[in-house]
Amino acid sequence: MSMKDILQHLIQRQPGYLELRWHKRTSNSFLATKGRVDVANHSITEGVGVRALINGAWGFAATSDISEAAIKRAIEQANANATLLAKARGAHAMELRKGKLSTKDFIGEGFAELQGMSIADKLGKVIDLEHQLAKSSSRMHTARARYTEYLEEKAIVTSDGASCSMKIAQPELSLSAIAEKDGQRATGSRGAGVSGGWTCLFKHPTLDHVVDEIARTTVDLLDAKYPEGGRKKVIMAPAVVGLLCHEAIGHTVEADFVKAGSIAAGKIGQMVASPLVTMADSGTENIAGYAVGNLPFDDEGIETENTVIIKDGKLASYLHNRETAAEFNVAPTGNARAWLFSDEPLIRMRNTYIVPGTSKLADMISSLDDGYLIEGAGSGQADSNGEFMFGCSHVWEIKNGKKTRLLREATLSGIAFDVLKTVDAVSSEFQWDLGTGHCGKGQPAKVDAGGPYVRCEINIGGRQS
Amino acid sequence: MSKPSMSQSKDTITTLSKKLDAAARDTLAYAKKQSADRAKVSASCSVEKRLVVENKQFTLANTLESQKVGLGVHKDQKKGSASINNSDQAGLHQSVDDALALAKFSVADEFLVMPDAKEAPKAKPLSFMWNDRMSEIGLGDLLEFTQSMLTRLTKDKRVAIDRLEVSTSCMWHGLYNSLGMEQHETQTSLSWSFMGMAVDGSDVSGFDYDGRSVYNWDTALDIALKQCDEFAEKIVKNLRPVKAPTYKGQVLLTPRAVEEILLGTILYHAAGSSVMDGKSQWGDKINSQVISKLINLSDDPHNSRFSGATSFDGDGLPTSARTLVQNGVLMTHLHDCYTAKHCKTKSSATSGGPFALICAPGTGDLKTMINARPEMLVVDRFSGNIDPIKGDFSGVAKSSRYYKNGVDSGGVGETMIAGNLFETLNNVLAVSSVVEDISGSMQMPWMLVDGVSVTGN
């Protein structure tokens, strides 16, 4: 009997709305540095999360014991928690918008490949990459290679009709380096994550010549100057565009955040960006096919879709779970996600991006007299009022239509919608480039983001004399 | 898990911990049978109750019993590790096999080490970490507590609380190794966190958050309500941001900004792992002046004010208070057993630490510090990048305020700060006589620092 069948059996004849989610995550993570293996870890986390809705109140309980008896106890506990909360807050009607409840049994590409591959091959590759990077230059002080893979297995059954299962694989690899010369140090890193197998991971464009790329950039940065601060015309690379989409726009259009009064509240139908900008969040991306946030359905059992957030500059949609979809009187968008079986689903992004345009990167550079090409996306944060900050490890100065010199890290900031209104060119070249690491919102989530090259005006943090 | 009452929590923890204790011993025995040279098991269990409020409504009541067993093995000077979230014997034995399989393909490392029972004697339990009253708190009590916080947070209608979470936890943690080291610890805690902003018509303030964790139920509400009042007042004051000036010079860092901007770099260069890999600028600077003489920093893992308190570290060594920086002089590196062996020194029992940092108060008067220059930026939060290797930092000053001639002119928007932390840490002009607890995890004062680039919008 599969876990889906067991959950299907247990959900029968339960009062109110009930959602049962079995989740098993098997992960391997390796970290090699300085010729050592600092991390070689195998981990399994498995259990069942139960969410009950009674009189408008949610109760949640979870168990790592997946026997029928333990799941039944978790159901009782979730019901008891919901009842207690309903009493405390008073009866309160809550509708859940049904949407497209999934009945899929989905096995993602690459799952079997990654599951069947030997540890020796995976760990060996990580050790080898670290070794190559360490030997790539006499200036190399520290090289580091980190690999993590998640093999996700889930079954979700709801009392109103969802009954689905999935197996997906999410491997990621990142390399970083510290170069040193005369006591000065520079850092560099590159990484990629995919929804797919080992083969898919190493086809990611970011990993093309990854060792040479990191070594060259990091060593070159040793002699690089800082960019001049102020408001500048820039061309953002896909990873930076992805950061902007995810941090500065994406979070403000999550419906729970909209309800709390984010800058996007009440702006549906309004122009919030240049007409050149169309932005979406997709669980089923098919532009490149490898984005790490690809999911057949979300953790409420709703089939995912491509949700257009901004259409030709106009705010078109928020991101919803079933509850907020009912409140906003729209269809759920399949954005309810939980990190572990013991976490309740929250509204989260999947793959967030700006749709490619028609310009060519080469033309965008050649028609820019004075500005920067922003690469090497680092960390980023954004605020409820749309104010954002991103770090970038390096930028290229552009003078008279030509890339001139490499400059050290910069910090970009601005108000997201204001920046998007200044967009005057969007390239046809496209890349997903934010598939490593996690988005944090109380719980982690694997997401991706990317886009074309986008030209706009932005504030660059610099040093004052 | 039949009733939501927390009165069962103590019993549950007792039952689960006995089971995990037996499982840990069995796992070590199995590792030995499988020819592991050394093995270590970290086992924990907890009972947690949690309430979630979103947009002023209680939205979720959650209960969770959890277990986790992590293990590490050494074989032929190679290491591997594995973990599972139950105490099932077959699963744990499989984990040992998995960890040994990983070790087989790893790289030999002569510095791998585990302490024996003599090096890691039984740590004296910290009695303040377990509070019987806290272990009896039920969801009903938690509801009342949370409601009080919500009422206080939203007294001013302009305050929009996106999310408020309150939880209680009872937990047990055991650490064992095949050389006879054994440590155990139990802990109760009440934690809360909230995030929100002020909204006044079309004016939306910056997003902010706060929270903390305490051991003692009896004083928790007073602490929580005071924090709610301070938070609400602060975010409302950040409506209608003013333009900050652009200059290079002095800025005043609040205790939270001291933690967010300065602390990470100090800890990075004091860390044994950084010293071991030659990444620390302070690898040979013990007993040397590394930062301003005004800074005194210590770690006190036995301090009941802080949530990171612990009687033993991640290697199982008993912890104790130690001075990290005295009058700007580096007194010690933070080593675990592995980095210590690498560096031919002794562990400072700070594996997984430091645990409860205390930056001592100075003599600076806050008003005088604000008046240090006619146009002063007071930085409360930092959203940006810090490169501890080069010391460069650059980012947005959040929830920060602009003082003109000593008068608070308002919160600032889109204001960036940048500089180099090695310079900043040596350019501390004053440390305040008042200190604050940051999220119940450490104590920091205010600091007036020089040489920071401020770029107003």
Side-chain angles (χ1 to χ4, degrees), chain A residues 86-260:
Chain A
K87 265 188 200 159
R89 60 181 265 177
H92 167 85
M94 185 197 293
E95 186 197 343
L96 294 182
R97 189 54 56 92
K98 257 197 167 180
K100 209 170 176 183
L101 293 168
S102 182
T103 54
K104 286 179 184 172
D105 292 308
F106 177 86
I107 299 178
E109 208 177 306
F111 185 91
E113 180 198 20
L114 214 54
Q115 195 177 38
M117 200 173 156
S118 77
I119 282 170
D121 288 346
K122 292 174 189 171
L123 180 53
K125 177 76 175 178
V126 175
I127 293 168
D128 182 52
L129 283 168
E130 189 272 335
H131 181 73
Q132 283 182 45
L133 186 56
K135 301 288 169 208
S136 61
S137 163
S138 58
R139 303 257 186 249
M140 201 55 68
H141 177 278
T142 301
R144 191 175 153 105
R146 178 185 283 278
Y147 171 81
T148 302
E149 64 182 24
Y150 294 128
L151 294 165
E152 304 274 21
E153 296 172 77
K154 283 187 184 181
I156 295 169
V157 172
T158 68
S159 55
D160 62 353
S163 179
C164 45
S165 67
M166 70 159 111
K167 291 182 180 186
I168 58 171
Q170 295 168 324
E172 68 179 64
L173 175 73
S174 54
L175 274 77
S176 59
I178 301 172
E180 186 177 52
K181 186 176 100 175
D182 303 331
Q184 291 295 308
R185 288 181 180 176
T187 56
S189 64
R190 283 172 87 87
V194 299
S195 190
W198 185 262
T199 310
C200 177
L201 177 65
F202 283 91
K203 277 185 185 167
H204 194 292
T206 299
L207 297 185
D208 278 350
H209 311 292
V210 63
V211 170
D212 295 342
E213 288 284 341
I214 296 177
R216 186 170 55 244
T217 307
T218 310
V219 170
D220 287 352
L221 280 171
L222 285 167
D223 299 315
K225 306 286 183 209
Y226 291 99
E228 188 187 325
R231 190 164 177 84
K232 298 285 175 186
K233 195 131 190 168
V234 302
I235 298 169
M236 295 189 289
V240 186
V241 172
L243 260 181
L244 183 79
C245 290
H246 177 94
E247 297 289 355
I249 308 288
H251 282 299
T252 69
V253 298
E254 291 168 335
D256 53 342
F257 211 22
V258 174
K259 281 169 64 184

Side-chain angles (χ1 to χ4, degrees), chain B residues 280-402:
Chain B
S280 170
Q281 303 249 357
W282 301 343
D284 55 355
K285 300 283 188 206
I286 296 284
N287 295 323
S288 302
Q289 181 93 33
V290 290
I291 54 178
S292 163
K293 287 180 178 174
L294 299 179
I295 297 180
N296 288 284
L297 190 65
S298 58
D299 182 32
D300 184 3
H302 298 183
N303 193 314
S304 62
R305 277 161 54 207
F306 303 118
S307 57
T310 182
S311 60
F312 56 91
D313 79 343
D315 287 322
L317 299 184
T319 53
S320 59
R322 65 184 61 239
T323 301
L324 306 183
V325 176
Q326 190 169 37
N327 299 326
V329 173
L330 182 68
M331 305 304 291
T332 185
H333 292 132
L334 298 170
H335 281 292
D336 59 22
C337 290
Y338 176 75
T339 63
K341 188 174 177 185
H342 239 285
C343 297
K344 298 184 176 63
T345 186
K346 279 188 171 178
S347 170
S348 53
T350 44
S351 171
F355 305 101
L357 285 167
I358 296 174
C359 190
T363 56
D365 168 64
L366 262 187
K367 200 172 171 189
T368 308
M369 289 162 81
I370 288 171
N371 281 319
R373 75 188 306 274
E375 293 184 311
M376 176 66 77
L377 183 70
V378 179
V379 180
D380 185 48
R381 267 179 58 212
F382 176 73
S383 171
N385 290 317
I386 296 174
D387 184 337
I389 295 164
K390 300 193 297 285
D392 292 335
F393 71 97
S394 174
V396 179
K398 310 289 293 185
S399 298
S400 301
R401 305 194 70 77
Y402 169 44

Side-chain angles (χ1 to χ4, degrees), chain A residues 333-412:
Chain A
T333 53
N335 285 88
R337 301 180 63 187
W339 176 239
L340 292 171
F341 72 92
S342 49
D343 293 318
E344 71 277 12
L346 303 175
I347 297 176
R348 308 303 296 268
M349 283 169 265
R350 301 154 307 193
N351 306 305
T352 316
Y353 66 106
I354 284 179
V355 173
T358 54
S359 300
K360 290 284 171 204
L361 173 62
D363 298 336
M364 288 163 67
I365 293 172
S366 67
S367 57
L368 184 58
D369 286 338
D370 182 14
Y372 296 116
L373 171 63
I374 311 288
E375 290 183 337
S379 63
Q381 293 98 36
D383 215 325
S384 49
N385 53 10
E387 185 176 0
F388 66 85
M389 184 297 306
F390 306 141
C392 299
S393 64
H394 58 277
V395 304
W396 284 94
E397 184 180 60
I398 297 174
K399 289 279 185 199
N400 302 317
K402 287 195 167 56
K403 266 170 75 175
T404 52
R405 54 185 181 143
L406 184 68
L407 299 170
R408 276 181 178 243
E409 70 268 14
T411 303
L412 315 180

Side-chain angles (χ1 to χ4, degrees), chain B residues 241-309:
Chain B
V242 298
K243 187 180 166 184
T246 294
Y247 66 93
K248 183 172 181 181
Q250 297 168 15
V251 298
L252 180 59
L253 306 178
T254 67
R256 186 157 68 160
V258 168
E259 183 235 333
E260 290 184 358
I261 300 173
L262 302 186
L263 194 60
T265 295
I266 297 175
L267 296 180
Y268 180 88
H269 291 279
S273 56
S274 301
V275 176
M276 174 181 82
D277 284 345
K279 292 192 282 191
S280 170
Q281 303 249 357
W282 301 343
D284 55 355
K285 300 283 188 206
I286 296 284
N287 295 323
S288 302
Q289 181 93 33
V290 290
I291 54 178
S292 163
K293 287 180 178 174
L294 299 179
I295 297 180
N296 288 284
L297 190 65
S298 58
D299 182 32
D300 184 3
H302 298 183
N303 193 314
S304 62
R305 277 161 54 207
F306 303 118
S307 57

Side-chain angles (χ1 to χ4, degrees), chain B residues 15 34 73 100 153 174 177 181 187 192-193 209 219 260 271 294 366 376 454:
Chain B
T15 307
Q34 297 302 98
V73 295
L100 282 167
L153 279 167
N177 75 21
M181 180 276 294
Q187 180 181 336
W192 60 82
S193 64
Y209 54 85
T219 54
E260 290 184 358
L294 299 179
L366 262 187
M376 176 66 77
V454 177

Side-chain angles (χ1 to χ4, degrees), chain B residues 24-41 71-82 92-104 112 114 176-179:
Chain B
R25 292 170 198 283
D26 175 72
T27 304
L28 288 178
Y30 181 76
K32 192 176 176 187
K33 192 177 145 199
Q34 297 302 98
S35 305
D37 298 329
R38 287 185 290 257
K40 171 182 164 183
V41 174
L71 62 99
V73 295
H74 295 173
K75 170 78 177 161
D76 300 332
Q77 293 290 39
K78 298 175 179 180
K79 71 174 181 179
S81 61
L92 284 168
H93 288 186
Q94 182 60 51
S95 293
V96 171
D97 295 339
D98 291 336
L100 282 167
L102 283 168
K104 186 176 172 187
L112 293 182
M114 285 183 194
Y176 310 74
N177 75 21
S178 55
L179 304 178

Side-chain angles (χ1 to χ4, degrees), chain A residues 30 34-38 40-46 58-64 73-74 77 81 84-85 88-89 92 119-120 123 127 141-142 178 185-187 226 256-257 259-262 341-342 344 346 379 381 383-385 387-392 408-409 411 413-415 459-465, chain B residues 1-4 50-52 54-55 57-64 79-85 98 102 105-107 109 139-140 143 160 162-163 197 199 204-207 246-248 276-280 338 342 383-385 387 389-390 392-396 398 413-416 418-419 453-455 457:
Chain A
F30 312 129
K34 295 271 184 188
R36 307 186 302 262
V37 174
D38 280 358
N41 187 62
H42 175 78
S43 165
I44 296 175
T45 308
E46 182 178 18
W58 287 109
F60 187 88
T63 174
S64 56
R73 285 199 298 276
Q77 183 70 71
N81 291 349
L84 185 88
L85 201 59
R89 60 181 265 177
H92 167 85
I119 282 170
L123 180 53
I127 293 168
H141 177 278
T142 301
I178 301 172
R185 288 181 180 176
T187 56
Y226 291 99
D256 53 342
F257 211 22
K259 281 169 64 184
S262 84
F341 72 92
S342 49
E344 71 277 12
L346 303 175
S379 63
Q381 293 98 36
D383 215 325
S384 49
N385 53 10
E387 185 176 0
F388 66 85
M389 184 297 306
F390 306 141
C392 299
R408 276 181 178 243
E409 70 268 14
T411 303
S413 78
I415 302 291
N459 295 327
I460 294 192
R463 283 158 175 72
Q464 307 302 326
S465 54
Chain B
M1 244 183 3
S2 58
K3 284 185 179 177
R50 184 166 64 99
L51 286 171
V52 179
E54 289 176 303
N55 305 312
Q57 292 274 12
F58 280 92
T59 52
L60 187 78
N62 185 350
T63 51
L64 179 67
K79 71 174 181 179
S81 61
S83 69
I84 58 172
N85 65 326
D98 291 336
L102 283 168
F105 300 110
S106 189
V107 174
D109 185 341
L139 268 180
L143 268 164
D162 177 47
R163 193 173 176 92
M197 55 211 165
V199 181
V204 181
S205 79
F207 197 66
T246 294
Y247 66 93
K248 183 172 181 181
M276 174 181 82
D277 284 345
K279 292 192 282 191
S280 170
Y338 176 75
H342 239 285
S383 171
N385 290 317
D387 184 337
I389 295 164
K390 300 193 297 285
D392 292 335
F393 71 97
S394 174
V396 179
K398 310 289 293 185
E414 291 190 80
T415 302
M416 303 186 77
S453 293
V454 177
T455 308
N457 181 11

